[in-house]
PDB file of all heavy atoms in Angstrom:
ATOM      1  N   MET A 364       2.587   2.106  46.238  1.00  0.00           N
ATOM      2  CA  MET A 364       3.018   3.352  45.603  1.00  0.00           C
ATOM      3  C   MET A 364       3.996   4.112  46.504  1.00  0.00           C
ATOM      4  O   MET A 364       4.989   4.682  46.013  1.00  0.00           O
ATOM      5  CB  MET A 364       1.803   4.230  45.283  1.00  0.00           C
ATOM      6  CG  MET A 364       2.146   5.558  44.596  1.00  0.00           C
ATOM      7  SD  MET A 364       2.947   5.379  42.982  1.00  0.00           S
ATOM      8  CE  MET A 364       1.514   5.044  41.951  1.00  0.00           C
ATOM      9  N   LYS A 365       3.749   4.127  47.788  1.00  0.00           N
ATOM     10  CA  LYS A 365       4.672   4.803  48.708  1.00  0.00           C
ATOM     11  C   LYS A 365       6.065   4.179  48.637  1.00  0.00           C
ATOM     12  O   LYS A 365       7.078   4.889  48.610  1.00  0.00           O
ATOM     13  CB  LYS A 365       4.135   4.729  50.136  1.00  0.00           C
ATOM     14  CG  LYS A 365       2.941   5.632  50.406  1.00  0.00           C
ATOM     15  CD  LYS A 365       2.461   5.481  51.845  1.00  0.00           C
ATOM     16  CE  LYS A 365       1.246   6.358  52.107  1.00  0.00           C
ATOM     17  NZ  LYS A 365       0.713   6.171  53.488  1.00  0.00           N
ATOM     18  N   ILE A 366       6.120   2.841  48.605  1.00  0.00           N
ATOM     19  CA  ILE A 366       7.412   2.162  48.526  1.00  0.00           C
ATOM     20  C   ILE A 366       8.107   2.499  47.209  1.00  0.00           C
ATOM     21  O   ILE A 366       9.297   2.823  47.177  1.00  0.00           O
ATOM     22  CB  ILE A 366       7.223   0.637  48.650  1.00  0.00           C
ATOM     23  CG1 ILE A 366       6.687   0.272  50.034  1.00  0.00           C
ATOM     24  CG2 ILE A 366       8.533  -0.087  48.376  1.00  0.00           C
ATOM     25  CD1 ILE A 366       7.619   0.584  51.164  1.00  0.00           C
ATOM     26  N   VAL A 367       7.373   2.409  46.121  1.00  0.00           N
ATOM     27  CA  VAL A 367       7.946   2.673  44.798  1.00  0.00           C
ATOM     28  C   VAL A 367       8.510   4.089  44.738  1.00  0.00           C
ATOM     29  O   VAL A 367       9.615   4.314  44.218  1.00  0.00           O
ATOM     30  CB  VAL A 367       6.872   2.461  43.708  1.00  0.00           C
ATOM     31  CG1 VAL A 367       7.354   2.991  42.362  1.00  0.00           C
ATOM     32  CG2 VAL A 367       6.514   0.986  43.595  1.00  0.00           C
ATOM     33  N   GLN A 368       7.768   5.057  45.280  1.00  0.00           N
ATOM     34  CA  GLN A 368       8.233   6.442  45.228  1.00  0.00           C
ATOM     35  C   GLN A 368       9.400   6.683  46.178  1.00  0.00           C
ATOM     36  O   GLN A 368      10.338   7.415  45.847  1.00  0.00           O
ATOM     37  CB  GLN A 368       7.070   7.382  45.536  1.00  0.00           C
ATOM     38  CG  GLN A 368       6.006   7.408  44.442  1.00  0.00           C
ATOM     39  CD  GLN A 368       4.955   8.470  44.654  1.00  0.00           C
ATOM     40  OE1 GLN A 368       4.380   8.585  45.726  1.00  0.00           O
ATOM     41  NE2 GLN A 368       4.684   9.255  43.615  1.00  0.00           N
ATOM     42  N   ARG A 369       9.359   6.066  47.359  1.00  0.00           N
ATOM     43  CA  ARG A 369      10.463   6.252  48.311  1.00  0.00           C
ATOM     44  C   ARG A 369      11.762   5.683  47.766  1.00  0.00           C
ATOM     45  O   ARG A 369      12.844   6.219  48.016  1.00  0.00           O
ATOM     46  CB  ARG A 369      10.123   5.588  49.646  1.00  0.00           C
ATOM     47  CG  ARG A 369       9.134   6.386  50.489  1.00  0.00           C
ATOM     48  CD  ARG A 369       8.704   5.609  51.717  1.00  0.00           C
ATOM     49  NE  ARG A 369       9.778   5.397  52.663  1.00  0.00           N
ATOM     50  CZ  ARG A 369       9.650   4.685  53.781  1.00  0.00           C
ATOM     51  NH1 ARG A 369       8.489   4.123  54.074  1.00  0.00           N
ATOM     52  NH2 ARG A 369      10.669   4.544  54.598  1.00  0.00           N
ATOM     53  N   LEU A 370      11.666   4.599  47.009  1.00  0.00           N
ATOM     54  CA  LEU A 370      12.870   3.971  46.467  1.00  0.00           C
ATOM     55  C   LEU A 370      13.288   4.580  45.127  1.00  0.00           C
ATOM     56  O   LEU A 370      14.306   4.181  44.561  1.00  0.00           O
ATOM     57  CB  LEU A 370      12.636   2.464  46.295  1.00  0.00           C
ATOM     58  CG  LEU A 370      12.451   1.672  47.587  1.00  0.00           C
ATOM     59  CD1 LEU A 370      12.139   0.223  47.286  1.00  0.00           C
ATOM     60  CD2 LEU A 370      13.699   1.767  48.466  1.00  0.00           C
ATOM     61  N   GLY A 371      12.485   5.527  44.614  1.00  0.00           N
ATOM     62  CA  GLY A 371      12.835   6.163  43.348  1.00  0.00           C
ATOM     63  C   GLY A 371      12.834   5.209  42.175  1.00  0.00           C
ATOM     64  O   GLY A 371      13.654   5.334  41.261  1.00  0.00           O
ATOM     65  N   ARG A 372      11.932   4.245  42.187  1.00  0.00           N
ATOM     66  CA  ARG A 372      11.863   3.265  41.114  1.00  0.00           C
ATOM     67  C   ARG A 372      11.473   3.945  39.791  1.00  0.00           C
ATOM     68  O   ARG A 372      10.766   4.953  39.795  1.00  0.00           O
ATOM     69  CB  ARG A 372      10.852   2.168  41.458  1.00  0.00           C
ATOM     70  CG  ARG A 372      11.310   1.248  42.579  1.00  0.00           C
ATOM     71  CD  ARG A 372      12.508   0.415  42.140  1.00  0.00           C
ATOM     72  NE  ARG A 372      13.047  -0.368  43.222  1.00  0.00           N
ATOM     73  CZ  ARG A 372      12.601  -1.583  43.580  1.00  0.00           C
ATOM     74  NH1 ARG A 372      11.573  -2.113  42.932  1.00  0.00           N
ATOM     75  NH2 ARG A 372      13.173  -2.243  44.556  1.00  0.00           N
ATOM     76  N   PRO A 373      11.907   3.385  38.688  1.00  0.00           N
ATOM     77  CA  PRO A 373      11.608   4.019  37.391  1.00  0.00           C
ATOM     78  C   PRO A 373      10.129   3.926  37.036  1.00  0.00           C
ATOM     79  O   PRO A 373       9.365   3.161  37.645  1.00  0.00           O
ATOM     80  CB  PRO A 373      12.464   3.207  36.404  1.00  0.00           C
ATOM     81  CG  PRO A 373      12.690   1.895  37.079  1.00  0.00           C
ATOM     82  CD  PRO A 373      12.758   2.195  38.553  1.00  0.00           C
ATOM     83  N   ALA A 374       9.723   4.700  36.038  1.00  0.00           N
ATOM     84  CA  ALA A 374       8.336   4.683  35.575  1.00  0.00           C
ATOM     85  C   ALA A 374       7.961   3.290  35.098  1.00  0.00           C
ATOM     86  O   ALA A 374       8.809   2.521  34.642  1.00  0.00           O
ATOM     87  CB  ALA A 374       8.148   5.699  34.458  1.00  0.00           C
ATOM     88  N   GLY A 375       6.677   2.967  35.199  1.00  0.00           N
ATOM     89  CA  GLY A 375       6.199   1.661  34.772  1.00  0.00           C
ATOM     90  C   GLY A 375       5.061   1.194  35.649  1.00  0.00           C
ATOM     91  O   GLY A 375       4.520   1.953  36.466  1.00  0.00           O
ATOM     92  N   LEU A 376       4.701  -0.075  35.488  1.00  0.00           N
ATOM     93  CA  LEU A 376       3.593  -0.675  36.223  1.00  0.00           C
ATOM     94  C   LEU A 376       4.125  -1.584  37.322  1.00  0.00           C
ATOM     95  O   LEU A 376       5.032  -2.389  37.085  1.00  0.00           O
ATOM     96  CB  LEU A 376       2.706  -1.483  35.266  1.00  0.00           C
ATOM     97  CG  LEU A 376       1.542  -2.233  35.905  1.00  0.00           C
ATOM     98  CD1 LEU A 376       0.487  -1.271  36.415  1.00  0.00           C
ATOM     99  CD2 LEU A 376       0.938  -3.220  34.908  1.00  0.00           C
ATOM    100  N   TYR A 377       3.537  -1.467  38.506  1.00  0.00           N
ATOM    101  CA  TYR A 377       3.960  -2.275  39.653  1.00  0.00           C
ATOM    102  C   TYR A 377       2.757  -2.936  40.308  1.00  0.00           C
ATOM    103  O   TYR A 377       1.650  -2.374  40.331  1.00  0.00           O
ATOM    104  CB  TYR A 377       4.685  -1.410  40.698  1.00  0.00           C
ATOM    105  CG  TYR A 377       5.978  -0.821  40.198  1.00  0.00           C
ATOM    106  CD1 TYR A 377       5.992   0.398  39.519  1.00  0.00           C
ATOM    107  CD2 TYR A 377       7.186  -1.477  40.386  1.00  0.00           C
ATOM    108  CE1 TYR A 377       7.170   0.934  39.052  1.00  0.00           C
ATOM    109  CE2 TYR A 377       8.375  -0.940  39.919  1.00  0.00           C
ATOM    110  CZ  TYR A 377       8.369   0.269  39.254  1.00  0.00           C
ATOM    111  OH  TYR A 377       9.542   0.804  38.793  1.00  0.00           O
ATOM    112  N   ARG A 378       2.996  -4.130  40.832  1.00  0.00           N
ATOM    113  CA  ARG A 378       2.053  -4.817  41.702  1.00  0.00           C
ATOM    114  C   ARG A 378       2.748  -5.121  43.027  1.00  0.00           C
ATOM    115  O   ARG A 378       3.966  -4.940  43.168  1.00  0.00           O
ATOM    116  CB  ARG A 378       1.562  -6.113  41.057  1.00  0.00           C
ATOM    117  CG  ARG A 378       0.595  -5.926  39.889  1.00  0.00           C
ATOM    118  CD  ARG A 378       0.088  -7.274  39.395  1.00  0.00           C
ATOM    119  NE  ARG A 378      -0.900  -7.155  38.339  1.00  0.00           N
ATOM    120  CZ  ARG A 378      -2.191  -7.010  38.538  1.00  0.00           C
ATOM    121  NH1 ARG A 378      -2.655  -6.950  39.780  1.00  0.00           N
ATOM    122  NH2 ARG A 378      -3.033  -6.934  37.523  1.00  0.00           N
ATOM    123  N   PHE A 379       1.979  -5.606  43.970  1.00  0.00           N
ATOM    124  CA  PHE A 379       2.509  -5.883  45.307  1.00  0.00           C
ATOM    125  C   PHE A 379       3.715  -6.825  45.247  1.00  0.00           C
ATOM    126  O   PHE A 379       4.743  -6.597  45.897  1.00  0.00           O
ATOM    127  CB  PHE A 379       1.390  -6.492  46.155  1.00  0.00           C
ATOM    128  CG  PHE A 379       1.719  -6.599  47.623  1.00  0.00           C
ATOM    129  CD1 PHE A 379       2.658  -5.783  48.215  1.00  0.00           C
ATOM    130  CD2 PHE A 379       1.067  -7.527  48.421  1.00  0.00           C
ATOM    131  CE1 PHE A 379       2.944  -5.867  49.569  1.00  0.00           C
ATOM    132  CE2 PHE A 379       1.347  -7.633  49.769  1.00  0.00           C
ATOM    133  CZ  PHE A 379       2.279  -6.804  50.345  1.00  0.00           C
ATOM    134  N   ASP A 380       3.616  -7.870  44.416  1.00  0.00           N
ATOM    135  CA  ASP A 380       4.706  -8.851  44.366  1.00  0.00           C
ATOM    136  C   ASP A 380       6.009  -8.263  43.836  1.00  0.00           C
ATOM    137  O   ASP A 380       7.084  -8.810  44.094  1.00  0.00           O
ATOM    138  CB  ASP A 380       4.299 -10.040  43.492  1.00  0.00           C
ATOM    139  CG  ASP A 380       3.323 -10.970  44.200  1.00  0.00           C
ATOM    140  OD1 ASP A 380       3.049 -10.736  45.394  1.00  0.00           O
ATOM    141  OD2 ASP A 380       2.824 -11.914  43.557  1.00  0.00           O
ATOM    142  N   ASP A 381       5.927  -7.156  43.104  1.00  0.00           N
ATOM    143  CA  ASP A 381       7.144  -6.542  42.563  1.00  0.00           C
ATOM    144  C   ASP A 381       7.993  -5.884  43.641  1.00  0.00           C
ATOM    145  O   ASP A 381       9.187  -5.636  43.419  1.00  0.00           O
ATOM    146  CB  ASP A 381       6.776  -5.496  41.503  1.00  0.00           C
ATOM    147  CG  ASP A 381       6.100  -6.117  40.294  1.00  0.00           C
ATOM    148  OD1 ASP A 381       6.490  -7.227  39.914  1.00  0.00           O
ATOM    149  OD2 ASP A 381       5.182  -5.494  39.741  1.00  0.00           O
ATOM    150  N   VAL A 382       7.390  -5.556  44.779  1.00  0.00           N
ATOM    151  CA  VAL A 382       8.136  -4.898  45.865  1.00  0.00           C
ATOM    152  C   VAL A 382       7.870  -5.618  47.194  1.00  0.00           C
ATOM    153  O   VAL A 382       7.895  -5.002  48.258  1.00  0.00           O
ATOM    154  CB  VAL A 382       7.756  -3.402  45.976  1.00  0.00           C
ATOM    155  CG1 VAL A 382       8.247  -2.619  44.768  1.00  0.00           C
ATOM    156  CG2 VAL A 382       6.261  -3.222  46.148  1.00  0.00           C
ATOM    157  N   LEU A 383       7.635  -6.911  47.110  1.00  0.00           N
ATOM    158  CA  LEU A 383       7.253  -7.658  48.316  1.00  0.00           C
ATOM    159  C   LEU A 383       8.333  -7.585  49.391  1.00  0.00           C
ATOM    160  O   LEU A 383       8.050  -7.302  50.567  1.00  0.00           O
ATOM    161  CB  LEU A 383       6.976  -9.119  47.931  1.00  0.00           C
ATOM    162  CG  LEU A 383       6.351 -10.013  48.993  1.00  0.00           C
ATOM    163  CD1 LEU A 383       5.043  -9.423  49.497  1.00  0.00           C
ATOM    164  CD2 LEU A 383       6.121 -11.409  48.433  1.00  0.00           C
ATOM    165  N   LEU A 384       9.590  -7.821  49.010  1.00  0.00           N
ATOM    166  CA  LEU A 384      10.682  -7.750  49.981  1.00  0.00           C
ATOM    167  C   LEU A 384      10.816  -6.342  50.540  1.00  0.00           C
ATOM    168  O   LEU A 384      10.931  -6.145  51.765  1.00  0.00           O
ATOM    169  CB  LEU A 384      11.989  -8.192  49.323  1.00  0.00           C
ATOM    170  CG  LEU A 384      13.250  -8.042  50.187  1.00  0.00           C
ATOM    171  CD1 LEU A 384      13.154  -8.920  51.431  1.00  0.00           C
ATOM    172  CD2 LEU A 384      14.501  -8.378  49.376  1.00  0.00           C
ATOM    173  N   GLU A 385      10.779  -5.358  49.660  1.00  0.00           N
ATOM    174  CA  GLU A 385      10.935  -3.973  50.102  1.00  0.00           C
ATOM    175  C   GLU A 385       9.787  -3.559  51.016  1.00  0.00           C
ATOM    176  O   GLU A 385       9.998  -2.830  52.003  1.00  0.00           O
ATOM    177  CB  GLU A 385      10.982  -3.049  48.883  1.00  0.00           C
ATOM    178  CG  GLU A 385      12.218  -3.221  48.008  1.00  0.00           C
ATOM    179  CD  GLU A 385      12.053  -4.329  46.975  1.00  0.00           C
ATOM    180  OE1 GLU A 385      11.097  -5.119  47.105  1.00  0.00           O
ATOM    181  OE2 GLU A 385      12.882  -4.403  46.045  1.00  0.00           O
ATOM    182  N   TYR A 386       8.594  -4.013  50.707  1.00  0.00           N
ATOM    183  CA  TYR A 386       7.423  -3.696  51.530  1.00  0.00           C
ATOM    184  C   TYR A 386       7.611  -4.243  52.943  1.00  0.00           C
ATOM    185  O   TYR A 386       7.327  -3.567  53.940  1.00  0.00           O
ATOM    186  CB  TYR A 386       6.168  -4.278  50.885  1.00  0.00           C
ATOM    187  CG  TYR A 386       4.869  -3.839  51.524  1.00  0.00           C
ATOM    188  CD1 TYR A 386       4.196  -2.716  51.058  1.00  0.00           C
ATOM    189  CD2 TYR A 386       4.312  -4.542  52.592  1.00  0.00           C
ATOM    190  CE1 TYR A 386       2.998  -2.301  51.632  1.00  0.00           C
ATOM    191  CE2 TYR A 386       3.126  -4.141  53.174  1.00  0.00           C
ATOM    192  CZ  TYR A 386       2.470  -3.023  52.682  1.00  0.00           C
ATOM    193  OH  TYR A 386       1.287  -2.624  53.264  1.00  0.00           O
ATOM    194  N   GLN A 387       8.102  -5.471  53.019  1.00  0.00           N
ATOM    195  CA  GLN A 387       8.301  -6.082  54.336  1.00  0.00           C
ATOM    196  C   GLN A 387       9.439  -5.396  55.086  1.00  0.00           C
ATOM    197  O   GLN A 387       9.354  -5.167  56.298  1.00  0.00           O
ATOM    198  CB  GLN A 387       8.604  -7.576  54.182  1.00  0.00           C
ATOM    199  CG  GLN A 387       8.569  -8.365  55.491  1.00  0.00           C
ATOM    200  CD  GLN A 387       7.239  -8.254  56.203  1.00  0.00           C
ATOM    201  OE1 GLN A 387       6.185  -8.285  55.553  1.00  0.00           O
ATOM    202  NE2 GLN A 387       7.256  -8.109  57.504  1.00  0.00           N
ATOM    203  N   LEU A 388      10.505  -5.041  54.362  1.00  0.00           N
ATOM    204  CA  LEU A 388      11.618  -4.355  55.008  1.00  0.00           C
ATOM    205  C   LEU A 388      11.213  -2.993  55.562  1.00  0.00           C
ATOM    206  O   LEU A 388      11.814  -2.497  56.518  1.00  0.00           O
ATOM    207  CB  LEU A 388      12.768  -4.164  54.004  1.00  0.00           C
ATOM    208  CG  LEU A 388      13.599  -5.399  53.668  1.00  0.00           C
ATOM    209  CD1 LEU A 388      14.568  -5.079  52.550  1.00  0.00           C
ATOM    210  CD2 LEU A 388      14.356  -5.901  54.905  1.00  0.00           C
ATOM    211  N   ALA A 389      10.200  -2.394  54.959  1.00  0.00           N
ATOM    212  CA  ALA A 389       9.774  -1.061  55.376  1.00  0.00           C
ATOM    213  C   ALA A 389       8.989  -1.078  56.675  1.00  0.00           C
ATOM    214  O   ALA A 389       8.698  -0.021  57.236  1.00  0.00           O
ATOM    215  CB  ALA A 389       8.920  -0.414  54.282  1.00  0.00           C
ATOM    216  N   ARG A 390       8.637  -2.256  57.169  1.00  0.00           N
ATOM    217  CA  ARG A 390       7.919  -2.307  58.442  1.00  0.00           C
ATOM    218  C   ARG A 390       8.810  -1.752  59.541  1.00  0.00           C
ATOM    219  O   ARG A 390      10.009  -2.066  59.602  1.00  0.00           O
ATOM    220  CB  ARG A 390       7.514  -3.736  58.813  1.00  0.00           C
ATOM    221  CG  ARG A 390       6.647  -4.477  57.798  1.00  0.00           C
ATOM    222  CD  ARG A 390       5.364  -3.760  57.493  1.00  0.00           C
ATOM    223  NE  ARG A 390       5.511  -2.833  56.371  1.00  0.00           N
ATOM    224  CZ  ARG A 390       4.625  -1.914  56.046  1.00  0.00           C
ATOM    225  NH1 ARG A 390       3.541  -1.755  56.782  1.00  0.00           N
ATOM    226  NH2 ARG A 390       4.836  -1.134  55.005  1.00  0.00           N
ATOM    227  N   PRO A 391       8.304  -0.927  60.434  1.00  0.00           N
ATOM    228  CA  PRO A 391       9.139  -0.337  61.491  1.00  0.00           C
ATOM    229  C   PRO A 391       9.680  -1.404  62.438  1.00  0.00           C
ATOM    230  O   PRO A 391       9.065  -2.442  62.660  1.00  0.00           O
ATOM    231  CB  PRO A 391       8.169   0.612  62.213  1.00  0.00           C
ATOM    232  CG  PRO A 391       6.800   0.110  61.875  1.00  0.00           C
ATOM    233  CD  PRO A 391       6.898  -0.492  60.508  1.00  0.00           C
ATOM    234  N   GLY A 392      10.861  -1.131  62.974  1.00  0.00           N
ATOM    235  CA  GLY A 392      11.462  -2.063  63.920  1.00  0.00           C
ATOM    236  C   GLY A 392      12.963  -1.877  63.952  1.00  0.00           C
ATOM    237  O   GLY A 392      13.555  -1.260  63.067  1.00  0.00           O
ATOM    238  N   SER A 393      13.603  -2.454  64.930  1.00  0.00           N
ATOM    239  CA  SER A 393      15.049  -2.292  65.080  1.00  0.00           C
ATOM    240  C   SER A 393      15.818  -2.991  63.977  1.00  0.00           C
ATOM    241  O   SER A 393      16.937  -2.609  63.639  1.00  0.00           O
ATOM    242  CB  SER A 393      15.498  -2.838  66.447  1.00  0.00           C
ATOM    243  OG  SER A 393      15.161  -4.216  66.569  1.00  0.00           O
ATOM    244  N   GLY A 394      15.200  -4.023  63.384  1.00  0.00           N
ATOM    245  CA  GLY A 394      15.891  -4.777  62.344  1.00  0.00           C
ATOM    246  C   GLY A 394      16.202  -3.930  61.124  1.00  0.00           C
ATOM    247  O   GLY A 394      17.253  -4.087  60.500  1.00  0.00           O
ATOM    248  N   LEU A 395      15.294  -3.025  60.783  1.00  0.00           N
ATOM    249  CA  LEU A 395      15.504  -2.187  59.604  1.00  0.00           C
ATOM    250  C   LEU A 395      16.717  -1.285  59.801  1.00  0.00           C
ATOM    251  O   LEU A 395      17.575  -1.177  58.925  1.00  0.00           O
ATOM    252  CB  LEU A 395      14.253  -1.360  59.328  1.00  0.00           C
ATOM    253  CG  LEU A 395      14.287  -0.511  58.058  1.00  0.00           C
ATOM    254  CD1 LEU A 395      14.345  -1.389  56.822  1.00  0.00           C
ATOM    255  CD2 LEU A 395      13.059   0.404  57.988  1.00  0.00           C
ATOM    256  N   ALA A 396      16.803  -0.641  60.946  1.00  0.00           N
ATOM    257  CA  ALA A 396      17.936   0.242  61.225  1.00  0.00           C
ATOM    258  C   ALA A 396      19.245  -0.543  61.279  1.00  0.00           C
ATOM    259  O   ALA A 396      20.279  -0.086  60.783  1.00  0.00           O
ATOM    260  CB  ALA A 396      17.706   0.980  62.539  1.00  0.00           C
TER     261      ALA A 396
END
Side-chain angles (χ1 to χ4, degrees):
M364 181 62 80
K365 287 179 181 177
I366 295 296
V367 169
Q368 291 188 310
R369 283 173 67 183
L370 293 176
R372 290 293 174 86
L376 177 69
Y377 296 87
R378 288 184 176 273
F379 190 24
D380 284 355
D381 296 323
V382 292
L383 190 56
L384 174 63
E385 293 86 347
Y386 189 91
Q387 191 58 40
L388 285 173
R390 303 302 90 193
S393 59
L395 184 65

